[in-house]
Amino acid sequence: GGLWRLHVQYPNRDPVLREVAHPQSLEELRAALGVETGQALLTRHERHQEQQYVVEHLEQLQDGAAVCVHVPRRRIFISVPPHIEKKAVMWYPGAAVEQIERAIAKAAGFPPGTQIELRDGEAAVVLSTTIPNDTHLEVAAFVERAPAAHAAPPMVAASAPAPAPAGTE
């Protein structure tokens, strides 16, 4: 029973003192502090105060502990030969693939709405929100290539005799 007083550092905010009912589980504590899925709860190492580590068990904490809510960000690097080399593009959990693609296209310097193609060497890459961090991809504007069967027929009209202008018969 009783209350725990925790010093909580939320992302991009000043630390706050939060009072929570003595939690029975880590899940209960995360819920009480408003820690979302995909976010990590960190605390300082007892002997190495400059180091933080992920709280995996409630036993790692006690009343008066300092915790930090960490939002892990994702990062990839893009190149657009020959002008852009290893430019970082970052996003946070919850971003949709379409938002990430727009951010990549913008970072690549393409006009809004440009469809892009991502390549890793010769392989085309399908973007995913869980792409490994620090992946390096080449970006190109996607150009729709018509299949050969639907190619425009060769110009034959030029060799056919031109019709006589109207009214000259």
Side-chain angles (χ1 to χ4, degrees):
L3 287 177
W4 271 18
R5 286 173 190 80
L6 300 173
H7 300 274
V8 184
Q9 173 73 58
Y10 289 98
N12 306 314
R13 306 229 308 262
D14 289 329
V16 293
L17 186 63
R18 293 285 309 269
E19 287 189 353
V20 295
H22 184 275
Q24 300 308 304
S25 68
L26 186 55
E27 292 72 30
E28 194 179 300
L29 177 63
R30 288 175 62 94
L33 295 178
V35 180
E36 297 173 21
T37 304
Q39 295 180 339
L41 202 53
L42 306 178
T43 192
R44 295 195 191 294
H45 193 282
E46 282 180 33
R47 287 184 300 285
H48 309 283
Q49 286 294 306
E50 72 286 352
Q51 293 179 14
Q52 292 190 326
Y53 63 101
V54 176
V55 176
E56 295 174 327
H57 307 285
L58 193 58
E59 296 73 40
Q60 292 171 263
L61 299 175
Q62 71 280 334
D63 180 28
V67 294
C68 173
V69 178
H70 175 70
V71 181
R73 65 175 181 228
R74 315 274 319 164
R75 177 181 68 183
I76 62 168
F77 292 98
I78 63 161
S79 292
V80 185
H83 308 296
I84 298 173
E85 192 66 37
K86 281 197 86 171
K87 187 173 193 177
V89 176
M90 294 189 294
W91 66 94
Y92 290 89
V97 169
E98 296 76 30
Q99 293 172 308
I100 300 165
E101 280 187 347
R102 280 198 305 270
I104 291 171
K106 185 176 180 182
F110 296 131
T114 302
Q115 293 294 310
I116 58 170
E117 189 172 34
L118 303 171
R119 301 194 73 75
D120 184 0
E122 290 301 305
V125 175
V126 176
L127 189 61
S128 159
T129 56
T130 56
I131 193 166
N133 266 331
D134 299 333
T135 298
H136 184 225
L137 300 173
E138 279 197 4
V139 183
F142 179 73
V143 180
E144 200 70 52
R145 290 175 189 85
H150 295 84
M155 291 296 289
V156 289
S159 61
T168 57
E169 283 112 33

